[in-house]
Amino acid sequence: VTIAIIQSNRSIIMSAATPSTASKPLKLTSTSQTLPHGHLDYVLDMAFDYYGRRFATASGDRTVRVWDLNSDGMWAGSSLGSNGGNNNTNEWQAHRGPVHKISWAHPEFGQLLATAGADHAVVIWEEREGGFKSLATPERSADGFLDTNAGATNTGSSGGAGEGASRWVNKATLSDARRAVTAVEFAPRHLGLRIASGSADGVVRIYEALDTMNLSHWKLEAEIEDNPDSNEAGQRMSTVEHNISASNENMGVSSLSWCTGRFEPATLVVGCSSGRVSIYRYDDGQRSWLEAIRLPGHATSNGVPRGVLDVAWAPNVGRSYHLIATCGKDNQLKVHRVKRGRGGKSDNTEGGGSQSALVYEGTEILDQSQTWRCQWNVTGTVLSSSGDGGMVKLWKSDFQGRWKCVSEIVGDSAELAAAAAIQNQ
């Protein structure tokens, strides 16, 4: 298990943990590496590729960087050049505003990245071979951002400017959103080259590549609109409560995650700033996306929603049920259990065919401290969570189904001590 801790001092700590059995907790190894990430603003998101040998970072400085694991087991790009640029990473300006989210496609479709930005767009990037003037050794403008006029337009390059260096090419820009795009994720491989995006206008949009060999053409397949006017019990909120929610925290869709089960229809879990957590499933009979289950959300007292910060659907390896992790501004980390129901006749299915069902079984609260992000390992057996305290917690379920924190990985202890001293003042 490789764990990345993003710190406020513009560095990333890469730590490793040895695999564990059901009876033994994870053990941290002495292998760790601190990487100066080189961004001029906070890192808003990072994502590993399918094999875990590359990761990309998205930042508020409008740029994206890609890092590679070399043959020595070290992440390339740990040393900065004399001009402050990173000579060993891909870097390019991806959007005209902060880059909120980033996602890798399955390698079957090539080296593809999708980025979601505050400029209301999702951009599809493809890595290609060929050298040209590098943006990874950037010429900074007066405001400190990358000078995009110094290199090729809408591309980024790695290493030096020599022949054979890779570059990232803008293949498509999807700008149907009316507000900032806050979530993006490629679909599992068995669903084809599809991508889901969520935006602050409260809409989830599903795109499909018309031709995997020509990534310039994407079809808007569906739009799923969030209904912020109903709370978790399905009742209408009062006008006063709705106005408070809309004025303070109405940021639409905050996160989403695909179900990776190969024998399930296309299914998504969506978290919204209204506090709702909903599972949407594609219905073949109606040829549309329908809300299958509404899970317990994240809200405070007085009925005013506080919002969901992250959702993560666990990979399913032979289980008869699904696990979904959510965290929110109510300082709760939850794991929801959804049972895979047997196929039955559905009124919405043409010809009375079988339609698989999902049945909600229960929710367990794992943690009641500040949690911003949650993520599963590749087998869906270990859940990691992180907050603003510089610590990553690893959770595992025992043979009785009870979740326990088995490991805690701490970042820079000196930085944590300084932050604690400030809070105690």
Side-chain angles (χ1 to χ4, degrees):
V1 179
T2 302
I3 299 150
I5 304 176
I6 302 173
Q7 303 192 122
S8 59
N9 62 354
R10 295 187 178 179
S11 65
I12 303 173
I13 296 180
M14 307 298 296
S15 299
T18 58
S20 62
T21 62
S23 59
K24 295 182 180 180
L26 291 169
K27 294 183 179 180
L28 292 180
T29 66
S30 59
T31 304
S32 64
Q33 184 181 359
T34 301
L35 307 174
H37 59 66
H39 288 290
L40 299 178
D41 203 338
Y42 287 112
V43 174
L44 302 180
D45 192 28
M46 72 170 297
F48 285 93
D49 73 343
Y50 180 80
Y51 297 110
R53 299 188 63 84
R54 310 184 82 183
F55 73 88
T57 56
S59 172
D61 65 1
R62 306 180 290 188
T63 65
V64 169
R65 290 185 173 222
V66 177
W67 308 72
D68 294 280
L69 189 67
N70 60 26
S71 58
D72 297 327
M74 304 298 288
W75 293 96
S78 59
S79 60
L80 290 175
S82 59
N83 61 350
N86 197 318
N87 295 325
N88 297 319
T89 59
N90 300 341
E91 178 190 15
W92 69 96
Q93 181 172 320
H95 290 267
R96 296 189 301 272
V99 186
H100 291 151
K101 288 287 185 176
I102 194 164
S103 176
W104 292 86
H106 191 277
E108 175 181 303
F109 305 108
Q111 292 297 306
L112 300 181
L113 276 174
T115 57
D119 55 358
H120 306 186
V122 173
V123 182
I124 310 298
W125 303 90
E126 182 182 28
E127 186 179 31
R128 289 187 175 181
E129 297 297 324
F132 65 101
K133 185 176 179 62
S134 175
L135 286 179
T137 311
E139 297 177 11
R140 302 284 178 179
S141 59
D143 60 0
F145 293 108
L146 290 178
D147 183 4
T148 54
N149 294 325
T153 304
N154 289 334
T155 58
S157 68
S158 69
E163 294 296 330
S166 65
R167 58 183 177 132
W168 289 86
V169 180
N170 183 341
K171 300 299 295 183
T173 300
L174 314 176
S175 19
D176 297 284
R178 298 183 296 273
R179 296 182 64 184
V181 183
T182 53
V184 67
E185 185 173 311
F186 279 102
R189 178 182 63 171
H190 66 275
L191 295 178
L193 189 52
R194 286 182 169 91
I195 191 169
S197 69
S199 54
D201 58 12
V203 180
V204 176
R205 293 174 175 86
I206 313 294
Y207 296 91
E208 180 182 10
L210 298 179
D211 183 1
T212 58
M213 302 303 294
N214 182 8
L215 300 177
S216 300
H217 302 289
W218 291 73
K219 174 186 176 183
L220 179 58
E221 195 175 62
E223 288 187 340
I224 307 170
E225 294 193 21
D226 174 41
N227 181 13
D229 293 330
S230 60
N231 60 13
E232 295 166 6
Q235 300 174 344
R236 189 73 59 174
M237 288 194 301
S238 69
T239 304
V240 175
E241 290 175 341
H242 176 66
N243 289 339
I244 293 175
S245 174
S247 60
N248 293 338
E249 303 175 35
N250 186 16
M251 292 298 293
V253 177
S254 58
S255 55
L256 56 84
S257 181
W258 287 91
C259 170
T260 60
R262 291 185 57 87
F263 303 104
E264 301 282 356
T267 309
L268 277 170
V269 59
V270 178
C272 303
S273 61
S274 61
R276 285 180 51 185
V277 180
S278 297
I279 297 177
Y280 293 93
R281 171 165 283 200
Y282 185 76
D283 186 277
D284 290 325
Q286 296 192 16
R287 297 182 181 276
S288 62
W289 287 79
L290 303 177
E291 184 181 40
I293 298 177
R294 186 175 301 183
L295 300 173
H298 295 267
T300 56
S301 59
N302 302 324
V304 181
R306 289 296 303 276
V308 181
L309 293 175
D310 200 12
V311 297
W313 198 304
N316 193 308
V317 184
R319 287 193 299 260
S320 61
Y321 57 89
H322 294 285
L323 295 175
I324 301 171
T326 65
C327 59
K329 293 183 181 179
D330 57 353
N331 294 337
Q332 288 188 347
L333 172 66
K334 300 178 180 180
V335 170
H336 312 272
R337 179 165 167 156
V338 178
K339 185 178 180 180
R340 300 167 58 184
R342 295 181 179 179
K345 288 189 177 181
S346 172
D347 296 336
N348 298 329
T349 305
E350 295 180 353
S354 63
Q355 179 75 16
S356 60
L358 292 177
V359 180
Y360 171 73
E361 287 195 325
T363 297
E364 183 176 349
I365 299 177
L366 274 60
D367 198 2
Q368 299 195 54
S369 60
Q370 187 181 56
T371 305
W372 286 13
R373 293 291 178 89
C374 55
Q375 188 69 34
W376 296 93
N377 67 339
V378 294
T379 58
T381 56
V382 179
L383 174 67
S384 62
S385 64
S386 63
D388 199 25
M391 179 185 297
V392 174
K393 296 180 180 180
L394 302 181
W395 305 84
K396 277 180 65 71
S397 175
D398 59 20
F399 65 94
Q400 293 182 337
R402 296 174 299 188
W403 289 87
K404 296 181 179 180
C405 180
V406 295
S407 293
E408 295 180 348
I409 302 102
V410 181
D412 190 345
S413 58
E415 182 181 357
L416 293 177
I422 294 176
Q423 292 179 356
N424 293 332
Q425 289 180 354

